[in-house]
Amino acid sequence: QPPGLPLAPCRSFSNSKIQVELDESSGVAMMKFKSPPVNSLSLEFLTEFSISLEKLENNRACRGVIITSTIPKIFSSGLDITEMCGKSIEHYTEFWRAVQEMWLRLYGSSMVTVAAINGSSPAGGCLIALSCDYRIMAENPKFSIGLNEAQLGIVAPFWFKDTFVNVVGHRVAERSLQLGSLHPAPEAHKLGLVDELVPEEKLMEKAAAVMAQWLALPDHARQLTKTMMRKAVLDRLVAHREEDIKNFISFVSKESIQKSLRMYMEMLKKRK
Amino acid sequence: QPPGLPLAPCRSFSNSKIQVELDESSGVAMMKFKSPPVNSLSLEFLTEFSISLEKLENNRACRGVIITSTIPKIFSSGLDITEMCGKSIEHYTEFWRAVQEMWLRLYGSSMVTVAAINGSSPAGGCLIALSCDYRIMAENPKFSIGLNEAQLGIVAPFWFKDTFVNVVGHRVAERSLQLGSLHPAPEAHKLGLVDELVPEEKLMEKAAAVMAQWLALPDHARQLTKTMMRKAVLDRLVAHREEDIKNFISFVSKESIQKSLRMYMEMLKKRK
Amino acid sequence: QPPGLPLAPCRSFSNSKIQVELDESSGVAMMKFKSPPVNSLSLEFLTEFSISLEKLENNRACRGVIITSTIPKIFSSGLDITEMCGKSIEHYTEFWRAVQEMWLRLYGSSMVTVAAINGSSPAGGCLIALSCDYRIMAENPKFSIGLNEAQLGIVAPFWFKDTFVNVVGHRVAERSLQLGSLHPAPEAHKLGLVDELVPEEKLMEKAAAVMAQWLALPDHARQLTKTMMRKAVLDRLVAHREEDIKNFISFVSKESIQKSLRMYMEMLKKRK
C-alpha cells in the first residue's frame, strides 16, 4: 500500500436504500438506512435489507451488525403505505412476503444485532428495533417508538405481537398495542421497550461498545442460545406464512381500509 | 323539553345488585356494584352482571364500561361463600357456570373496560379487576387487592391464574398465589397489579379520562388486537369448561373444605 | 433430660457433601452445602442432594427447606467440570441423569424452598437458587449469580432456560443467557433474579422469617398452587428426558468442547 493512503479495513457496498460497511478487523457491519424522506419500508427497501442481511450472514468475517439511520430524527417510519394502496393482489403478496422475509432474517439472525435508534421509530420501524438483540435509543423525548398500527385502524400481525410480548411482557404489550401507543424515548426505556438511552452524540460510540461486549463471547454458544430463545416465535410464522399473507391481502383489499389508507396518505402529503 | 328539567342523556337500568348507567353521548356505561354488605359474588349477582354485560355488548351506543362500587371501602369481596356451603351438586354446577360465564364475558368483552377500584378487592373481586383493560385504584393503603384463595385453603382455578400471569408475569404470580397475598394499593401498583393510583376523590374523574383516551381509537382495530392478546387464555377455559366444573364440585364437596368454609363464615359473622 | 443439657429438637443427618438439620418443632430443614473448595455439583453431590430432598419430602414433619452454604463466599459453583471431562458415555449418562433428577426434585418439591444465597452462584448454582420458591442474597456486590454457560462456550439446557424465563421474563433471560452474565447481587436484585438482599449477617434470620411467613399458609392449597405454576415446565423435561441426555452426551463428546473444558480446568488450577 502506498504511503499516504489511508488504511482500508472496511468493505462497503451501498445500494440505493441502505449503506452497508463491514469493518473486517472488528467483524462489525454498520447498516445505515438512507432512504429519504423517512426510511419507509418499501418493497425495494425490504428486498435490499434482506439481501444485505443475507450477504453479511454468509460472510464469515462478519459477526455483528449495528443498524441505524442517516436521516435526521427518523430511524424508520415503518411499512410504506403506498405499497398497500391501489395495487394488485400479486403486488400485495410480494410485498407482504418481503415483510415476512425481512423479519425472519433479522429476528433469526445468528449475528449480534444492535439497534442504534437515532430518531422516531413507529410500526415496522419499531419491529426492526424489537427484532435486534439490544436497543439503544437517543435520549431525545421528541423521538418516539411503538407499534402504533391501531391508530391507523390496522391490527399488528401476530408475529409483530409475539416479538413485542417477548420484549415488554404481556400487560405492557396488550395496553400499548390496543392504544397504538408511540412512546417517547424516556417512557420506552421505562417500559423496557429500549434497553438504554444515551445522548444522541454518544449513540454510535455506545453501540460499538455494546457490540464489543457481545462479541467477547464465543459465537457458537451464543448463537445456539439465541435460537433456543427465539425459535418458538420464528417457527410460528414459518408454519402460518401463507395464511398470514392471505390475511393481509383480505384485510388490505377492503374498501374501508383502502379509504382510510388513502386519507392517511393525503394527510401525510399535506404535512409536507 | 320544559325548562328546569335536567338533560337526560343517560339510559339507566338498575337491578337489585348492580346499577348500570349508559351515557349515550360518550358511549360509556357506568356499572356500580351495590350489593351490601360487601358486593359478594352470589349466583344472583353474577347472573345480573353477565346479563348487564351482554346488554351493553349488544348495544351499539355503548363502547366502554367503567366498573366501580357504591359500597364504601369495598370493590367486591369475591365469590359468595354461602353459595359453596351445604348446597346441592346442581347448585354448585349452576354457581360455577355463572362464575365462568361472568369471566368469559368480561375478559372477552369487545368494549373498553376500566376498573375504578375504590375499595378492597380480594379473590373474585380481584379477578374482575384483572379482567378489565385498565385498573385504577384509590391510593389508600388500607385497600388491598389480590388472589388470596390460598389463605382459605382453596386453589385459584387455572384461568384465574392465567389472567393473573398475563398481568403481573410468572414470578410475581407464583409467589402471590402461593402466599394468597392481599397487596395494599401501593404494593399492588409497584407489582403492576394495578396500573395507576389516584386519590380516592379523583378516581371517577381519572377513570373517565382514561376511558376517553381509549375510546379515541377506532373500535375495530382495538377489538381485534384485544382478541389477539386474550384468545389463547379464553379458549383454554372454553375447551375445559365441563372439566373445570367437575373439579370445582369435587373440591367443594369435600368434608374438609366444607368444614373450613363453615369456620370461615362463622368468623365473618362474629366480625360483624 | 438432665439439667444443663440443651434441648434437642433437631434431627440431623450429615453425609459427606451436605449437612441436613431438621427442626421438627418448626418443620423447617436447613440444608448446608459443605463440599470444599466450591460446592461444585459432582455426581456424588447431586446424588446426595436428591436423596436428602427425597427423605425430607417423605418426612411429614418437614414442611420447608432453607438451602445455604458453609463455604465462605460461595453458594455453589455449579456443575463439576471434572465429571464432563475424559469420561465414558456411561458416566456422562449417569451424571446428566443426576442433574435432571436434582432439578425435578427441587423445582417440583411440595415443600417451601428458600435459597439463602451467601456467596457467588454461577451456572448450576444459579439453577438451584432459581428452582426455589424464594431467593434471598447477601447484599455483597462481590457475590454474583447467573447462568454464565455461554461464557464457557456451553449452551444452558432448555429447562435451565425455562426456569430462568419463569423468574426474570423473556427479555432479561435472552440477554443474560446470550452474554452468559454473572450479575452482582444488587443487579441481580434489580432484575428480579433474587427477591431480596440483606446484610450477610442477617441472611439466616431473614430466611427463617420468610419461611415462617410461607408456612403460615395451609400446605395443601399452597402445594397445588405451586404445581399449577410449575407443571408445564417440569412436564417438558419429563417428556424429553432421554433426548436431553443424548444432547448432553453428543455435546460433551465433541473434541472442541473437551479441549475448552480442559483449558478451563487448567485455568482454575492455576488460580489456586
Side-chain angles (χ1 to χ4, degrees):
Chain A
Q1 190 171 20
L5 275 192
L7 284 166
C10 293
R11 270 206 197 176
S12 70
F13 48 97
S14 180
N15 302 305
S16 52
K17 307 292 185 189
I18 304 169
Q19 184 185 328
V20 182
E21 286 176 18
L22 170 59
D23 177 345
E24 296 201 345
S25 67
S26 68
V28 178
M30 290 289 303
M31 287 185 95
K32 291 181 184 171
F33 298 158
K34 49 152 202 161
S35 181
V38 291
N39 288 328
S40 65
L41 306 174
S42 62
L43 177 55
E44 199 184 334
F45 187 107
L46 290 164
T47 307
E48 199 177 309
F49 193 9
S50 288
I51 290 175
S52 300
L53 281 172
E54 191 183 9
K55 274 191 199 168
L56 295 172
E57 199 82 51
N58 292 332
N59 183 342
R60 294 198 147 216
C62 182
R63 299 173 61 213
V65 185
I66 296 170
I67 300 176
T68 193
S69 161
T70 63
I71 312 278
K73 299 180 193 167
I74 289 283
F75 180 71
S76 160
S77 65
L79 301 184
D80 187 343
I81 289 175
T82 63
E83 304 280 10
M84 306 194 230
C85 237
K87 297 289 201 300
S88 68
I89 300 282
E90 288 68 34
H91 186 86
Y92 295 149
T93 304
E94 191 182 358
F95 176 64
W96 199 248
R97 201 180 293 282
V99 180
Q100 294 176 333
E101 186 68 26
M102 179 275 287
W103 178 77
L104 289 170
R105 287 207 174 278
L106 183 59
Y107 197 63
S109 173
S110 69
M111 302 179 288
V112 175
T113 50
V114 172
I117 310 161
N118 53 352
S120 283
S121 195
C126 177
L127 180 73
I128 291 176
L130 288 170
S131 301
C132 289
D133 290 312
Y134 199 81
R135 285 156 290 286
I136 311 167
M137 191 164 180
E139 68 185 352
N140 186 337
K142 290 186 182 166
F143 297 166
S144 64
I145 183 167
L147 294 175
N148 62 323
E149 281 80 354
Q151 294 266 7
L152 316 185
I154 297 177
V155 183
F158 72 87
W159 39 286
F160 282 52
K161 180 264 290 177
D162 289 343
T163 311
F164 198 29
V165 169
N166 273 355
V167 173
V168 297
H170 193 278
R171 182 187 67 242
V172 171
E174 187 181 282
R175 187 168 71 211
S176 185
L177 283 174
Q178 282 199 69
L179 289 171
S181 304
L182 285 174
H183 306 286
E187 189 180 291
H189 182 235
K190 220 175 143 190
L191 296 174
L193 175 43
V194 298
D195 296 295
E196 211 170 332
L197 297 184
V198 294
E200 195 165 354
E201 67 275 16
K202 304 237 169 146
L203 187 57
M204 296 319 297
E205 186 188 327
K206 183 72 199 181
V210 164
M211 181 58 83
Q213 185 201 0
W214 283 67
L215 292 183
L217 277 284
D219 280 336
H220 191 62
R222 188 194 47 69
Q223 288 164 351
L224 291 174
T225 303
K226 184 171 178 176
T227 301
M228 177 170 66
M229 295 303 298
R230 298 192 167 189
K231 193 170 184 307
V233 161
L234 287 162
D235 283 353
R236 226 179 133 199
L237 176 58
V238 171
H240 297 283
R241 202 163 171 181
E242 298 309 313
E243 196 183 323
D244 183 58
I245 292 173
K246 274 183 199 155
N247 278 346
F248 173 71
I249 293 171
S250 111
F251 173 79
V252 86
S253 304
K254 279 185 191 141
E255 188 41 46
S256 61
I257 297 299
Q258 284 293 316
K259 194 175 160 190
S260 84
L261 292 176
R262 278 193 305 267
M263 280 170 60
Y264 188 72
M265 280 170 58
E266 288 304 314
M267 193 193 77
L268 290 180
K269 272 180 203 162
K270 275 174 199 157
R271 256 198 217 166
K272 292 176 213 168
Chain B
Q1 191 170 20
L5 278 190
L7 285 166
C10 294
R11 269 205 197 177
S12 71
F13 49 98
S14 178
N15 301 306
S16 52
K17 308 292 187 190
I18 304 169
Q19 185 185 329
V20 182
E21 286 176 19
L22 170 59
D23 177 344
E24 297 202 344
S25 67
S26 67
V28 179
M30 289 288 303
M31 286 185 96
K32 291 182 184 168
F33 299 158
K34 49 153 200 159
S35 181
V38 291
N39 288 328
S40 65
L41 306 174
S42 63
L43 178 55
E44 200 185 334
F45 187 108
L46 290 164
T47 307
E48 200 178 308
F49 194 8
S50 289
I51 291 175
S52 300
L53 281 172
E54 191 183 10
K55 274 190 200 168
L56 295 172
E57 199 83 51
N58 292 331
N59 184 343
R60 294 198 145 215
C62 183
R63 299 174 61 213
V65 184
I66 296 171
I67 299 175
T68 193
S69 161
T70 64
I71 312 279
K73 300 181 193 166
I74 289 283
F75 180 70
S76 161
S77 65
L79 302 185
D80 187 343
I81 289 175
T82 63
E83 305 279 11
M84 307 194 229
C85 237
K87 297 287 199 303
S88 68
I89 301 282
E90 288 69 34
H91 186 85
Y92 295 150
T93 305
E94 192 182 357
F95 176 63
W96 199 248
R97 203 180 293 280
V99 180
Q100 295 175 334
E101 186 67 28
M102 180 277 288
W103 178 76
L104 289 170
R105 286 206 175 276
L106 184 59
Y107 198 63
S109 173
S110 69
M111 301 178 289
V112 175
T113 50
V114 172
I117 309 161
N118 53 351
S120 284
S121 196
C126 177
L127 181 73
I128 291 176
L130 289 170
S131 302
C132 290
D133 290 313
Y134 199 80
R135 283 155 291 285
I136 312 167
M137 190 164 181
E139 69 184 354
N140 186 337
K142 290 186 183 166
F143 298 165
S144 65
I145 184 169
L147 294 174
N148 62 322
E149 280 80 354
Q151 294 265 7
L152 316 186
I154 297 178
V155 183
F158 72 87
W159 39 287
F160 282 52
K161 180 264 290 176
D162 289 344
T163 311
F164 198 29
V165 169
N166 272 357
V167 173
V168 297
H170 193 280
R171 182 188 64 243
V172 170
E174 187 181 282
R175 187 168 70 210
S176 184
L177 283 174
Q178 282 199 71
L179 289 171
S181 304
L182 286 174
H183 306 286
E187 188 180 292
H189 182 235
K190 220 175 144 191
L191 295 174
L193 175 43
V194 297
D195 296 296
E196 211 169 333
L197 297 183
V198 294
E200 194 165 355
E201 66 276 15
K202 304 235 169 148
L203 187 58
M204 297 318 298
E205 186 188 326
K206 185 71 199 184
V210 165
M211 181 59 81
Q213 185 200 359
W214 283 67
L215 292 184
L217 278 283
D219 279 337
H220 191 61
R222 188 194 47 69
Q223 288 164 351
L224 290 173
T225 304
K226 184 171 177 176
T227 301
M228 178 169 67
M229 295 304 297
R230 299 192 166 188
K231 194 171 184 309
V233 161
L234 286 162
D235 283 353
R236 226 178 132 200
L237 176 58
V238 171
H240 299 282
R241 204 163 169 180
E242 298 310 312
E243 195 183 323
D244 183 57
I245 291 172
K246 273 183 199 155
N247 279 346
F248 173 71
I249 292 172
S250 111
F251 173 79
V252 86
S253 304
K254 277 183 192 143
E255 189 39 46
S256 60
I257 297 298
Q258 283 294 317
K259 194 175 160 189
S260 84
L261 292 177
R262 276 194 305 265
M263 281 170 60
Y264 189 71
M265 279 169 59
E266 287 305 314
M267 193 192 78
L268 290 181
K269 273 179 203 164
K270 275 174 199 157
R271 256 197 216 166
K272 293 176 212 167
Chain C
Q1 194 169 19
L5 276 191
L7 287 165
C10 294
R11 267 203 200 180
S12 71
F13 47 98
S14 180
N15 302 306
S16 52
K17 307 292 186 190
I18 304 169
Q19 185 185 328
V20 181
E21 284 175 17
L22 171 60
D23 177 343
E24 297 202 345
S25 67
S26 68
V28 179
M30 290 288 303
M31 288 185 93
K32 292 182 183 168
F33 299 159
K34 47 153 203 162
S35 181
V38 290
N39 287 328
S40 65
L41 306 175
S42 63
L43 177 55
E44 198 184 335
F45 187 107
L46 291 165
T47 307
E48 199 178 309
F49 194 9
S50 288
I51 290 175
S52 300
L53 281 173
E54 191 183 10
K55 273 190 201 168
L56 295 172
E57 199 83 50
N58 292 332
N59 183 343
R60 293 197 146 215
C62 183
R63 299 173 62 212
V65 185
I66 296 171
I67 299 176
T68 193
S69 161
T70 64
I71 312 278
K73 299 180 192 167
I74 289 283
F75 180 71
S76 160
S77 66
L79 301 185
D80 186 343
I81 290 175
T82 62
E83 304 280 10
M84 307 195 230
C85 238
K87 297 288 199 303
S88 68
I89 301 281
E90 288 69 34
H91 186 86
Y92 295 150
T93 305
E94 191 183 358
F95 176 64
W96 199 247
R97 202 180 292 280
V99 179
Q100 294 176 334
E101 186 67 27
M102 179 277 287
W103 178 76
L104 288 170
R105 286 207 174 275
L106 184 59
Y107 197 63
S109 173
S110 69
M111 300 178 289
V112 175
T113 49
V114 172
I117 310 162
N118 53 352
S120 284
S121 195
C126 177
L127 181 73
I128 291 175
L130 289 169
S131 301
C132 290
D133 290 311
Y134 200 81
R135 284 156 289 286
I136 311 167
M137 190 164 180
E139 69 185 352
N140 186 337
K142 290 185 182 165
F143 298 164
S144 64
I145 184 168
L147 293 174
N148 63 322
E149 281 79 354
Q151 294 266 9
L152 316 186
I154 297 178
V155 183
F158 71 87
W159 39 286
F160 282 52
K161 180 264 289 176
D162 288 344
T163 310
F164 198 30
V165 169
N166 272 355
V167 173
V168 297
H170 192 279
R171 182 188 66 244
V172 170
E174 187 181 283
R175 186 169 72 211
S176 184
L177 283 173
Q178 282 199 69
L179 289 171
S181 304
L182 285 174
H183 306 286
E187 188 180 291
H189 182 236
K190 219 174 143 192
L191 296 174
L193 174 43
V194 298
D195 297 295
E196 212 169 331
L197 297 183
V198 294
E200 194 165 355
E201 66 276 15
K202 304 237 169 148
L203 188 58
M204 297 318 297
E205 186 188 328
K206 184 73 198 181
V210 165
M211 180 59 82
Q213 185 200 1
W214 283 67
L215 293 183
L217 276 284
D219 279 338
H220 191 62
R222 189 195 46 71
Q223 288 163 352
L224 291 174
T225 304
K226 184 171 177 177
T227 300
M228 178 169 67
M229 295 304 297
R230 299 191 166 189
K231 193 171 185 306
V233 160
L234 286 162
D235 283 353
R236 227 179 132 199
L237 176 58
V238 171
H240 297 283
R241 203 164 170 180
E242 298 310 312
E243 196 183 322
D244 183 58
I245 292 172
K246 274 184 198 156
N247 278 346
F248 173 72
I249 292 172
S250 112
F251 173 79
V252 86
S253 305
K254 278 183 191 144
E255 189 40 46
S256 61
I257 297 298
Q258 284 294 318
K259 193 174 161 190
S260 84
L261 292 176
R262 277 195 304 267
M263 281 170 59
Y264 189 71
M265 279 169 56
E266 288 304 315
M267 192 192 78
L268 291 181
K269 273 181 203 161
K270 274 173 199 156
R271 257 198 216 165
K272 294 175 214 171

